[in-house]
């Protein structure tokens, strides 16, 4: 198992000012960090990747798509823009040294039609992702497509649908990720949700029901960890938590109140929690 911390707890665009925090995460025992990739400056990420390597830290990355570059838009030019930006993000991953690109870049976040996905939207999504997957293969980065809850997107809400989606993309560099927060909202049977996607699972987000410290809320982590062990998962477990440090991230994640002492304390407690749960089972 590899343990990571998503840097969105501190920044939507990590720079050198965050390196002391990254060094503390390394000292805690994290194997890597998850980098938000919204800034697509390849040169910046080349330099940042070199600094992470100097710390002996691995990394993964996360991104999103928006209305103007929606890969399931009825406008072919908008879909093409989504494919283009996903490919550029993969170039940044390669420059950074990121192993996996996760997130809801299959469709626009926060945009709704008032109904579920149409057959055309599903087809456009699969076709767009297949183009992205081909580029992912060229730059040797794994895609980890993410389902979000119904309040954030409508193409992929449950993990069974994510699994069907990536199977239809049918490319070795396109898999999916599992997220305990979204599963807690959408899945009727957590264990079955994990089993349904285990053959295409490449990444896991460990996140509490209130986005605070994992293990401090009401998510059924026993079932989550038990079933991940059952299906033989042994990849990245990345903490995804959000706080008040960044107004734009707080607004996007609907965090209005302080739910932990400090970001670094959350990171430390989260790592202890994950390692304890894994040690009980693996």
């Amino acid at each position: 198992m590899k343990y990571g911390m998503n840097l969105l707890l501190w920044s939507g665009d990590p720079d050198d000012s965050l390196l002391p925090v990254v060094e503390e995460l390394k000292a805690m025992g994290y194997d890597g960090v998850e980098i938000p990739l919204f800034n697509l400056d390849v040169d910046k990420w080349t330099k940042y990747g070199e600094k992470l390597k100097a710390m002996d830290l691995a990394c993964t990355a996360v991104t999103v798509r928006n209305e103007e570059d929606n890969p399931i838009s009825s406008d072919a030019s908008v879909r093409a823009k989504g494919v283009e930006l996903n490919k550029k993000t993969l170039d940044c991953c390669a420059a950074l040294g990121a192993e996996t690109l996760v997130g809801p870049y299959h469709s626009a976040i926060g945009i709704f039609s008032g109904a579920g996905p149409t057959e055309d939207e599903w087809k456009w999504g699969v076709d767009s992702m297949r183009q992205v997957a081909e580029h992912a293969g060229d730059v040797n980065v794994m895609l980890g497509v993410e389902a979000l809850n119904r309040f954030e997107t409508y193409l992929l809400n449950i993990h069974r649908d994510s699994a069907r989606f990536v199977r239809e993309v049918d490319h070795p560099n396109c898999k999916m990720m599992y997220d305990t927060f979204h599963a807690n909202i959408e899945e009727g049977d957590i264990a079955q949700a994990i089993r349904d996607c285990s053959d295409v699972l490449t990444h896991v987000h460990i996140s509490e029901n209130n986005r605070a410290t994992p293990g401090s809320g009401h998510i059924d982590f026993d079932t989550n960890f038990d079933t991940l062990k059952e299906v033989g998962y042994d990849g990245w477990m990345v903490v995804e938590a959000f706080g008040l440090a960044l107004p734009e991230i707080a607004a996007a994640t609907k965090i209005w109140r302080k739910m932990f002492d400090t970001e670094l304390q959350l990171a430390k407690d989260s790592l202890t929690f994950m390692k304890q749960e894994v040690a009980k089972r693996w």
Side-chain angles (χ1 to χ4, degrees), residues 2-6 25 29-34 56-60 236 238:
K2 292 180 286 187
Y3 301 98
M5 184 74 209
N6 191 316
L25 295 174
Y30 277 97
D31 300 299
V33 290
E34 193 152 278
D56 194 27
L57 272 175
C59 67
T60 58
W236 280 100
V238 175

Side-chain angles (χ1 to χ4, degrees), residues 139-158:
V139 298
N140 194 31
V141 176
M142 181 60 71
L143 300 176
V145 176
E146 181 176 12
L148 300 187
N149 68 77
R150 80 195 85 158
F151 307 107
E152 297 183 43
T153 189
Y154 68 95
L155 180 67
L156 301 177
N157 296 134
I158 59 175

Side-chain angles (χ1 to χ4, degrees), residues 21 36 45 58-59 74-75 81 84 98 102 109 118 146-147 154 167 178 203 211 247 255 276 281:
V21 168
W45 298 119
C59 67
S74 59
D75 185 330
K81 185 69 171 177
E84 175 193 355
V102 303
I109 192 168
T118 65
E146 181 176 12
Y154 68 95
R167 290 183 194 120
Y178 173 81
H203 196 83
R211 295 295 201 180
I255 302 294
Q276 286 176 343
R281 298 166 172 86

